[in-house]
Amino acid sequence: QVQLVESGGGLVQAGGSLRLSCVASGSIFSIRDMAWYRQAPGKQRELVAAISSGGSTAYADSVKGRFTISRDNAKNTVYLQMNTLKPEDTAVYYCRIQANNDYYWGQGTQVTVSS
């Protein structure tokens, strides 16, 4: 089994920054894609950013130029650096990884951006 633990969420003023981390542990043989999703109240969960095992990245249009996804394969960790945060970035952020040919989700971390 694979467990994901997220950290780094919190309350920040508009224009501020946060860095989210997601560490995978357990019986991990291989990790392929890693990604961050978010879900705001009353809205569907949406993809924020993704990174492949080769380091290719993709971003939602709403965060391009402000957010950066990265990974540390030695630590089984994926990061999301969020800069110039806006109130509309307020949501619960979830990491998802593809490990051992299956998908696993974190428990979510709250990000709140005040105006």
Side-chain angles (χ1 to χ4, degrees), residues 53-84:
S53 56
S56 298
T57 58
Y59 297 92
D61 288 342
S62 59
V63 306
K64 282 181 181 176
R66 300 188 297 121
F67 290 11
T68 302
I69 189 171
S70 61
R71 61 192 287 169
D72 185 331
N73 293 327
K75 297 181 179 180
N76 291 338
T77 300
V78 60
Y79 305 97
L80 186 67
Q81 178 67 45
M82 304 185 294
N83 299 327
T84 320

Side-chain angles (χ1 to χ4, degrees), residues 94-106:
Y94 300 89
C95 65
R96 188 193 79 167
I97 71 165
Q98 185 183 13
N100 307 338
N101 294 320
D102 206 345
Y103 288 96
Y104 297 89
W105 290 89

Side-chain angles (χ1 to χ4, degrees), residues 2-6 22 35-39 45-47 92-98 102-108:
V2 176
Q3 297 82 39
L4 303 183
V5 177
E6 298 147 344
C22 174
W36 287 95
Y37 287 73
R38 67 186 181 187
Q39 187 166 19
R45 191 172 297 188
E46 63 174 356
L47 176 65
V92 178
Y93 284 70
Y94 300 89
C95 65
R96 188 193 79 167
I97 71 165
Q98 185 183 13
D102 206 345
Y103 288 96
Y104 297 89
W105 290 89
Q107 80 286 356

